[in-house]
Amino acid sequence: MKDFLLIFRNDPGLMPQESPEEMQARMKKWMDWIGNFAAQNKLIDRGNRLHTAGSVVKPGNIVTDGPYTEVKELIGGYTLVKAESLEEATEMAKNCPILLVGGNVEVREINPM
Amino acid sequence: MMQQQELIPHLFRTEYRKITAVLCKLFGIEHIEIAEDIVSDTFLLASELWGHKGLPENPAAWLYVAAKNKAKDHFKHDAIFNQKIVQQLGYLSPKTDEIEIDLSEKNIHDSQLQMLFAVCNPVIPPEAQIGLALRILCGFGINEIAAAFLTNKETINKRLFRAKEKLRQEQVKIEFPGNNEINKRLENVLTTLYLLFNEGYYSAGQNITIRKDLCVEAMRLTHLLTESALANTPAVNALLALMCFQSSRFEARTNQTGETILYQDQDTRLWNRELITKGKHYLNIASQGDKLSKYHLEAGIGYWHTIKTNSPEKWENILQLYNQLLQIEYSPIAALNRTYALAMANGIPEAIVEAEKLDLKNNHLYYSLLGELYLSEDKTVAARHFNKALQLAHSIADKTVIRQKLKQCVL
């Protein structure tokens, strides 16, 4: 088994205004999706969502501040899973709820130090 | 008034464990056997003497006095013990008169808790921890422990002997853990009590009395923890809540001939309402902390199972609790139960897709789950899964349940 990082990206501008019920329904999809990996004993770390606020540090003491709400592909969260291969990990990412709101998942194999 | 032939075994259970804990604490882990011998001798004397002369007025008090005298005799006669051990115990003068054997309620309580921490120590394997707890803290006989583990006396004797040897080598102290290690140590204790309870609740053994005793003892020891300011944590209360909810169905889950009655076929009038109420009480206390343990999640699932009527709310809650539980700790049984909850909450087709991704193909429960999911979809496929489950199942009780399910597959 290898470890993979799933990186969720979406366009915050496309996120619809949600009622509490809609938000709960969306959270349920995430919980069930993560729960599927946990039930297969393939979840390493559920990971987390990320706030839109942040900063980027560049050489020469240049710091750019967020929020990055205007960025089209903002990293919104991440999860760590186990899989036999990149193909399997990619297959696992195909049901990710981020795809339902126009986002995408980047699947990267962890290269341990 | 209890008859003598009932009274002695009863006292043996309740008083044996109290006196043993106090003497173990007094003598230290390296001399558990001396403590056990003294208590056994005391009870032997009691049964001989009471057989001739009848019962004393206060049998428990009589036992305490007799055990104290035997312990003092031991100090007196064992010169090496006097020289080495008593000095180690911190007594200035090894005069037997000055050895205080404190059988007060408080010291019994403290000694039992300290022994619980000493015995539930990961330096010895879990089944040895459970065995020692049953012997020393619950007053079980070797025969009863053997019956509980579906094995023989020799195996248990060897297991307990090795365990005591190991505790001695590791110089495990009979004391309350310090504040900085209490959580870690408590975690071990809870794991052992959880296993002890499960041993009784899920064991393949046919001896219902022994199984019930194991559950009762696990609950008693967990309750003992809730009475201690040091150990009364939310997780302890959550575990106790879980045990209450589970054991509330004890009477309903087997019929007169000892066959398993599945949850959906149980007569809810046989569910113990008092235990359900107690479970809710402890779950309330458990919810006061800020740390979510696996016992909280399992107690939550247990709570929803005390409501038999199916509702979307019930199964959605159970599914989410399993989702969280599996993130804290994976287990095949939780994965299977979660998939059943997925079927009840999100529908059977979705659950079948997920069930087939589970890598549990040597587990009869896996095929039972698939059979169950296919029952409403395709009875031929369901039958194929139940037959596979039947091949893999070992216990008679499991096989009986699967055969009943196979009957439902007939078109």
Side-chain angles (χ1 to χ4, degrees):
Chain A
M1 284 279 185
K2 296 166 183 163
D3 297 352
F4 292 86
L5 179 67
L6 307 184
I7 305 156
F8 314 125
R9 286 197 172 86
N10 68 335
D11 179 351
L14 285 179
M15 278 297 287
Q17 284 294 316
E18 289 176 319
S19 66
E21 291 76 25
E22 285 167 333
M23 194 164 94
Q24 207 184 348
R26 188 166 57 85
M27 284 313 296
K28 170 183 161 52
K29 287 202 178 85
W30 279 96
M31 289 304 144
D32 290 352
W33 185 67
I34 297 280
N36 287 339
F37 300 148
Q40 295 162 32
N41 201 14
K42 286 180 179 167
L43 188 73
I44 298 170
D45 187 331
R46 185 185 74 174
N48 259 313
R49 297 173 294 189
L50 298 176
H51 280 296
T52 48
S55 64
V56 178
V57 181
K58 292 175 182 169
N61 201 20
I62 297 166
V63 177
T64 52
D65 290 328
Y68 302 99
T69 39
E70 72 285 358
V71 175
K72 291 278 177 263
E73 288 204 329
L74 185 71
I75 298 178
Y78 63 94
T79 289
L80 277 159
V81 297
K82 284 186 283 192
E84 290 294 347
S85 61
L86 177 62
E87 287 68 33
E88 191 196 341
T90 306
E91 206 54 45
M92 287 162 78
K94 281 185 181 168
N95 295 317
C96 179
I98 200 89
L99 306 173
L100 301 172
V101 292
N104 63 57
V105 187
E106 184 173 332
V107 184
R108 299 286 293 270
E109 188 181 334
I110 305 272
N111 186 4
M113 281 202 266
Chain B
M1 172 98 195
M2 236 186 263
Q3 291 303 304
Q4 187 167 327
Q5 58 266 43
E6 290 172 42
L7 184 72
I8 292 177
H10 175 76
L11 279 175
F12 201 95
R13 274 276 177 87
T14 57
E15 301 307 327
Y16 176 95
R17 63 190 178 215
K18 290 181 187 170
I19 306 172
T20 308
V22 167
L23 293 185
C24 284
K25 164 72 186 153
L26 184 69
F27 292 166
I29 206 88
E30 55 276 51
H31 299 290
I32 293 184
E33 266 115 359
I34 299 176
E36 285 186 298
D37 285 348
I38 288 173
V39 189
S40 297
D41 281 354
T42 305
F43 277 86
L44 197 65
L45 181 69
S47 50
E48 279 173 11
L49 218 59
W50 297 355
H52 290 299
K53 297 188 179 174
L55 287 176
E57 214 154 281
N58 185 341
W62 188 97
L63 288 168
Y64 287 9
V65 172
K68 278 185 189 180
N69 288 337
K70 280 194 180 293
K72 285 186 179 179
D73 277 352
H74 181 86
F75 279 107
K76 208 180 289 175
H77 292 303
D78 195 330
I80 302 165
F81 195 87
N82 268 341
Q83 282 158 19
K84 292 192 177 164
I85 310 306
V86 178
Q87 275 164 9
Q88 277 175 25
L89 286 173
Y91 292 97
L92 292 173
S93 157
K95 276 192 195 158
T96 53
D97 292 349
E98 292 174 20
I99 293 162
E100 193 49 53
I101 298 164
D102 178 3
L103 281 160
S104 67
E105 207 174 302
K106 182 178 185 307
N107 193 44
I108 288 172
H109 190 267
D110 287 353
S111 302
Q112 286 187 319
L113 272 174
Q114 291 169 350
M115 273 309 284
L116 185 60
F117 277 103
V119 162
C120 300
N121 192 314
V123 298
I124 53 174
E127 69 268 20
Q129 295 178 35
I130 296 176
L132 270 186
L134 285 174
R135 181 70 189 137
I136 294 169
L137 291 161
C138 308
F140 272 44
I142 300 297
N143 278 329
E144 292 169 304
I145 302 175
F149 280 106
L150 308 176
T151 178
N152 55 35
K153 262 177 94 164
E154 288 69 38
T155 309
I156 296 298
N157 271 326
K158 266 186 225 155
R159 185 182 296 172
L160 298 189
F161 178 80
R162 266 190 238 117
K164 285 184 239 177
E165 196 67 32
K166 185 76 184 162
L167 290 176
R168 238 190 306 272
Q169 282 166 11
E170 300 283 334
Q171 298 180 328
V172 170
K173 296 246 178 340
I174 304 172
E175 61 187 16
F176 285 119
N179 277 332
N180 51 346
E181 52 162 12
I182 178 75
N183 286 329
K184 184 96 205 76
R185 297 285 303 279
L186 200 52
E187 222 176 281
N188 285 322
V189 173
L190 293 191
T191 305
T192 306
L193 293 178
Y194 177 75
L195 290 174
L196 171 59
F197 183 86
N198 285 349
E199 194 64 42
Y201 201 75
Y202 297 108
S203 156
Q206 297 292 305
N207 189 333
I208 304 277
T209 317
I210 290 264
R211 292 178 53 181
K212 208 181 283 177
D213 277 353
L214 293 183
C215 293
V216 169
E217 287 302 323
M219 290 169 82
R220 188 180 62 81
L221 292 173
T222 311
H223 188 257
L224 200 65
L225 291 171
T226 66
E227 289 176 335
S228 140
L230 181 80
N232 188 21
T233 62
V236 171
N237 284 277
L239 177 59
L240 192 51
L242 165 65
M243 290 171 171
C244 289
F245 290 142
Q246 295 284 78
S247 52
S248 71
R249 290 190 295 278
F250 213 107
E251 302 298 332
R253 49 182 219 141
T254 40
N255 65 14
Q256 254 97 33
T257 54
E259 284 174 355
T260 309
I261 302 175
L262 294 176
Y263 177 81
Q264 52 270 40
D265 305 324
Q266 287 172 11
D267 180 353
T268 51
R269 285 170 305 178
L270 294 175
W271 289 3
N272 186 324
R273 296 285 140 196
E274 201 189 321
L275 280 171
I276 293 175
T277 308
K278 276 189 182 163
K280 288 181 194 164
H281 167 74
Y282 291 117
L283 192 56
N284 266 327
I285 300 175
S287 65
Q288 284 159 12
D290 54 359
K291 259 179 79 186
L292 195 63
S293 67
K294 68 168 187 165
Y295 306 116
H296 283 91
L297 297 165
E298 287 198 47
I301 294 163
Y303 163 74
W304 282 103
H305 281 306
T306 65
I307 303 163
K308 199 174 175 199
T309 315
N310 283 330
S311 67
E313 190 199 8
K314 169 180 171 174
W315 286 105
E316 182 54 31
N317 273 289
I318 293 177
L319 172 62
Q320 294 313 328
L321 289 162
Y322 271 120
N323 281 342
Q324 290 182 70
L325 178 64
L326 283 158
Q327 289 174 37
I328 293 183
E329 188 179 284
Y330 170 83
S331 76
I333 192 78
L336 293 168
N337 286 336
R338 184 258 177 192
T339 308
Y340 184 75
L342 188 70
M344 299 300 279
N346 294 6
I348 285 173
E350 186 180 331
I352 287 178
V353 171
E354 290 308 321
E356 282 168 350
K357 290 182 194 164
L358 302 180
D359 187 20
L360 296 169
K361 308 216 164 29
N362 48 11
N363 190 329
H364 71 90
L365 294 171
Y366 173 72
Y367 290 99
S368 286
L369 170 72
L370 276 175
E372 193 69 38
L373 295 179
Y374 271 106
L375 258 182
S376 58
E377 309 288 298
D378 185 333
K379 287 201 162 50
T380 318
V381 180
R384 202 169 66 220
H385 287 303
F386 281 126
N387 272 314
K388 185 82 184 158
L390 197 58
Q391 282 172 28
L392 290 168
H394 291 295
S395 85
I396 297 164
D398 287 339
K399 287 186 184 200
T400 311
V401 169
I402 298 167
R403 285 201 186 94
Q404 280 162 1
K405 284 286 170 192
L406 266 169
K407 282 184 200 153
Q408 295 177 28
C409 300
V410 179
L411 294 166

